[in-house]
């Protein structure tokens, strides 16, 4: 969906489908931003399907006393019980003019029925498909342009080559390069200068995948990195810095402007986007467990080097396992 | 030659050994024996040529070894005033070699050099003394190289080794040494030294002695320096601040930053002077002089400084952990009903609050977590990460 305006989403149901969480989150964001741009006081409510109890849906969509425009986001709709799902479908038949409803479904069989019924009603669907390898440079180009920069085809390919297929990492890298190049076009040389240290970039991609809750991808990238001689301590240090930023992010005071928030958290502003997405699915308890697991792994890789690969795999599993700990 | 016999531990080279009267008595006797041996007294047998000084940090084990070295070289048994005494204590006596390392280990090459020196006769009329201040940092190879010389020392050679505990020294070495273990000096003795010798007001001295838990160097720093006191206050405020995960990682960052600052303050004082000294020795900047290898020597010094700075950081962090530990010990004292005077009287209210709120079991777990963090740091775990993990354990012990 190109940048929608408030009129494009209010009075409608936007159905976000597909496995690429990074893109799905971005779609949700554009809907919220569109409404907020038109009405800064707009009320935004975000829930997971599992949190919806009986009658919860009609309560969510009933008019508010305090604001006219509203956004309601229902994530993981496949986890919602029958009663609220029925309410949702009823609502979709005749949506409220002042409300933008976003329903997110991550793909897969579960909850397929709701998706099909919504499609039948004729809601706006935005698919978040994982891009094919050859589509990735185009993704990078779009990311950089959205940030107000420019990048050539060759440089975009070089960036994909250096960073791998992780969209979040690619987007973050594109953002960083745009930010640091100050309006100059991003060249292959610039990419090499920044991301020539492929080892380090790889370790961040492994950490990002694990923290983002994708153990399979994280393990796959971990094995690739280990096979290519990346030092185990780079892995533990990438995990530590990712979790550290997240820990600061989740306990930062609410309502800060992006620049202040970035300073509070200790990351460059472009990194906030990544953190915002990652923060979903993490509790304080889970984060604490994850940080301790990384500290243990760091001790292990520095002690018994033979066992480093296993120690790192255990770490990835411990971190992804801690993600759902409430 | 006879000297008057004022009370031991209060005079000459022994004056700095606070609260170590039993050790001073043993060493004074050993000095007499050594003098008799030099004089050719045939009744002297079984003189010890290798000593191992052990004691907790701050008890002054290397000071004790130096004082003994000075007393051995001194014609008057350690007067503290003659040039033998003064040069020994300052580390410039030709027959006294002081080995201390800022590195994490003492390598075999350094030890071979020492062993060569140990085989030589002293340039003066008395003893060739070799003081290894960090015998716990000898690598296994280095210890092997040392063994023979310690086992069968030259007639006029004396080895003085220092380490925190006897377990820190390889068994083959320690079994050849005469052991001396220093105790943690009682707070009263430390406070007395601060008031009498350093002129510190009594209340400050009492505070510093209590807060340093018998570590005399630490007590001096606490008494003399507001920045040191303020860093300590910050550390003691941490346990009551760990209310969420963000606070935990911030607290860890703060501890590491403070350690870095403290280390920088020390290193910035030492490094430039040493560099200037080396440059002068090499003739750097002298017109028309180009010293071969000057650049390499300067680079080597720069590397040493870097390593030393790292060790200073570790030491500073370790002191913070000691302070934290004392906080939870105080909590435990109250919980088990054995607390009369706390180490941290000045934060008694925080200590009491935690003692009421928490179980003694949790306090023990927290103390355990601090010990584990120490171990992790020794195992080279990234300091910030190790301390973050600790803060999380302190916030919520499992
Ligand atoms: Zn003297």
């Amino acid at each position: 969906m190109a940048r929608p305006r408030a009129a494009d989403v209010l009075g409608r149901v936007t159905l976000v489908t597909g496995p690429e969480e990074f893109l799905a989150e971005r779609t949700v964001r554009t809907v919220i931003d569109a409404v907020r741009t038109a009405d800064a006081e707009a009320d935004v409510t975000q829930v997971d399907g599992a949190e919806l109890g009986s009658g919860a849906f009609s309560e969510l969509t009933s008019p508010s006393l305090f604001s006219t425009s509203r956004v309601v986001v229902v994530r993981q709709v496949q986890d919602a019980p029958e009663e609220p799902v029925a309410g949702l479908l009823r609502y979709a038949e005749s949506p409220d003019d002042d409300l933008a409803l976003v329903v997110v479904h991550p793909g897969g069989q579960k909850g397929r029925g709701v998706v099909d019924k919504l499609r039948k009603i004729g809601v706006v669907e935005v698919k978040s498909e994982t891009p094919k390898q050859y589509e990735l440079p185009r993704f990078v180009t779009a990311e950089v342009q959205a940030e107000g920069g420019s990048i050539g085809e060759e440089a975009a390919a070089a960036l994909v080559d250096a960073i791998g297929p992780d969209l979040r990492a690619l987007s973050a890298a594109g953002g960083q390069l745009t930010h640091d190049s100050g309006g100059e076009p991003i060249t292959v040389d610039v990419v090499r200068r920044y991301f020539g240290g492929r080892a380090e970039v790889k370790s961040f991609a492994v950490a990002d995948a694990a923290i983002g809750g994708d153990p399979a991808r994280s393990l796959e990238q971990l094995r690739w990195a280990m096979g290519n001689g990346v030092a185990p301590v780079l892995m533990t240090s990438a995990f530590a810095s990712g979790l550290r930023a997240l820990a600061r992010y989740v306990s930062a005071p609410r309502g800060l402007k992006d620049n202040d928030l970035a300073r509070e958290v200790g990351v460059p502003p472009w990194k906030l986007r990544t953190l915002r997405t990652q923060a979903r699915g993490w509790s304080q308890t889970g984060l604490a467990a994850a940080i301790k697991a990384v500290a243990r792994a760091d001790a292990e890789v520095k002690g018994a080097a033979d066992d480093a690969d296993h120690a790192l795999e255990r770490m990835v599993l411990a971190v992804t396992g801690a993600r759902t700990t409430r | 030659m006879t000297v008057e016999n004022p009370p031991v531990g209060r005079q000459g080279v022994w004056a700095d050994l606070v609260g170590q009267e039993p050790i001073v008595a043993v060493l004074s006797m050993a000095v007499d024996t050594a003098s008799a041996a030099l004089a050719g007294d045939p009744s002297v047998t079984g003189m010890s040529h290798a000593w191992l000084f052990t004691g907790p940090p701050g008890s002054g084990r290397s000071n004790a070894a130096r004082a003994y070295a000075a007393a051995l070289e001194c014609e008057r048994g350690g007067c503290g005033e003659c040039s033998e005494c003064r040069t020994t204590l300052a580390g410039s006596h030709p027959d006294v070699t002081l080995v201390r390392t800022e590195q994490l280990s003492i390598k075999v090459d350094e030890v071979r050099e020492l062993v060569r020196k140990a085989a030589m006769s002293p340039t003066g009329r008395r003893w060739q003394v070799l003081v290894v201040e960090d015998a716990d940092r000898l690598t296994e190879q280095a210890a092997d190289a040392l063994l023979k010389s310690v086992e069968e020392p030259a007639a006029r050679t004396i080895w003085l080794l220092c380490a925190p505990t006897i377990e820190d020294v390889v068994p083959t070495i320690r079994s050849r040494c005469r052991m001396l273990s220093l105790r943690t000096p009682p707070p009263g003795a430390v406070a007395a030294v601060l008031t009498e010798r350093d002129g510190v007001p009594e209340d400050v001295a009492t505070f510093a002695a209590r807060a340093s838990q018998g570590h005399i160097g630490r007590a001096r720093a606490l008494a003399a320096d507001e920045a040191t006191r303020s860093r300590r206050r910050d550390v003691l405020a941490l346990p009551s601040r760990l209310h969420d995960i963000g606070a935990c990682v911030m607290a860890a960052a703060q501890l590491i930053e403070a350690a870095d600052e403290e280390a920088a303050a020390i290193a910035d004082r030492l490094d430039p002077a040493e560099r200037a000294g080396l440059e002068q020795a090499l003739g750097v900047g002298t017109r028309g002089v180009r010293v071969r290898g000057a650049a390499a020597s300067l680079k080597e010094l720069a590397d040493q400084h870097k390593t030393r700075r790292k060790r200073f950081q570790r030491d500073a962090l370790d002191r913070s952990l000691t302070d934290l530990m004392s906080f939870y010990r105080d909590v435990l004292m109250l919980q088990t009903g054995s607390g009369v005077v706390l180490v941290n009287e000045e934060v008694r209210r925080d200590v009491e609050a935690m003692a009421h709120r928490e179980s003694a079991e949790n306090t023990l777990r927290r103390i355990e977590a601090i010990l584990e963090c120490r171990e992790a740091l020794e195992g080279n775990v990234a300091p910030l990460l190790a301390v973050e993990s600790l803060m999380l354990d302190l916030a919520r012990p499992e």
Side-chain angles (χ1 to χ4, degrees), chain B residues 74 78-82 85:
Chain B
C74 174
C79 65
E81 282 151 19
C82 69
C85 281

Side-chain angles (χ1 to χ4, degrees), chain B residues 35-372:
Chain B
S35 290
L38 272 187
D41 183 338
S43 68
V44 176
T45 53
M47 186 191 143
S48 302
H49 284 264
W51 297 74
L52 175 57
F53 293 77
T54 60
S59 58
R61 47 179 192 262
S62 52
N63 287 345
R66 280 181 191 216
Y68 181 43
L72 285 170
E73 301 296 353
C74 174
E75 297 284 346
R76 291 182 284 168
C79 65
E81 282 151 19
C82 69
S83 92
E84 308 284 332
C85 281
R86 279 185 288 117
T87 53
T88 303
L89 294 178
S92 55
H93 193 290
D95 290 335
V96 179
T97 310
L98 299 175
V99 183
R100 64 202 310 202
T101 183
E102 312 294 358
Q103 317 297 318
L104 293 175
S105 62
I106 302 178
K107 303 274 159 29
V108 66
D109 294 352
E110 290 173 75
V111 168
R112 292 214 177 98
E113 190 61 46
L114 272 183
V115 167
R116 249 192 302 281
K117 182 125 197 218
M120 298 192 295
S121 301
T123 55
R125 282 179 296 153
R126 299 183 69 88
W127 303 96
Q128 179 79 267
V129 185
L130 301 114
V131 185
V132 181
E133 293 192 356
D134 306 283
D136 52 317
R137 291 176 200 250
L138 289 167
T139 63
E140 212 165 303
Q141 261 187 317
D144 281 347
L146 192 66
L147 189 58
K148 198 162 159 37
S149 178
V150 171
E151 221 167 7
E152 301 160 15
R156 305 262 297 276
T157 294
I158 296 178
W159 284 95
L160 308 180
L161 311 179
C162 311
T165 71
I166 55 170
E167 281 77 28
D168 293 322
V169 181
V170 287
T172 45
I173 296 276
R174 70 179 188 233
S175 64
R176 265 75 175 183
C177 293
R178 182 157 173 204
M179 317 267 195
L180 274 183
S181 58
L182 284 79
R183 61 176 180 175
T184 300
V190 174
V193 168
L194 293 182
T195 46
E196 286 164 24
R197 196 154 343 129
D198 304 351
V200 173
E202 209 159 304
D203 54 334
V204 179
T206 310
F207 153 77
R210 181 166 45 69
S212 69
Q213 301 172 74
H215 190 307
I216 178 91
R218 176 88 173 134
R220 283 212 165 101
L222 280 170
D225 179 27
E226 171 54 28
T228 306
R229 288 195 291 270
S230 138
R231 267 194 298 271
R232 183 167 183 283
R233 273 195 300 274
D234 290 345
V235 169
L236 293 175
L238 287 182
S240 318
R241 270 182 33 203
L242 305 173
H243 45 77
D244 71 3
I245 192 163
C248 287
V249 296
M250 301 269 192
Q254 186 200 321
L255 266 184
I256 297 292
E257 231 166 78
D260 291 356
E261 266 169 33
E262 193 176 335
I266 306 169
D268 290 346
R269 209 171 52 228
L270 299 177
D271 294 358
E274 289 176 10
R275 192 185 157 88
L278 181 61
E279 280 174 349
Q280 200 185 12
L282 291 169
V284 173
T286 312
R287 197 190 298 259
V289 177
R290 283 205 62 177
V291 186
R292 204 182 273 215
S297 301
L298 286 170
K299 163 103 177 37
E300 196 183 325
L301 183 70
D303 288 346
Q304 282 169 11
H305 283 172
K306 219 167 132 188
T307 318
R308 181 170 72 181
R309 195 172 283 246
K310 223 174 226 162
R311 183 162 163 203
F312 286 161
Q313 284 171 353
R314 276 183 188 214
D315 291 349
L317 184 57
D318 200 63
R319 281 192 285 279
S320 297
L321 292 184
T322 303
D323 287 340
L324 264 184
M325 177 83 91
S326 72
F327 181 94
Y328 291 106
R329 286 232 177 95
D330 278 350
V331 172
L332 194 63
M333 292 269 268
L334 291 187
Q335 285 170 328
T336 54
S338 50
V340 192
V341 180
L342 304 179
V343 172
N344 304 293
E345 279 297 338
E346 62 277 18
V347 289
R348 180 178 268 273
R349 209 181 300 167
D350 289 352
V351 173
E352 281 175 348
M354 186 168 290
H356 284 134
R357 199 172 61 234
E358 301 274 348
S359 65
E361 204 184 354
N362 273 347
T363 308
L364 282 170
R365 288 201 182 110
R366 290 183 165 106
I367 290 173
E368 183 67 24
I370 298 175
L371 294 172
E372 278 167 15

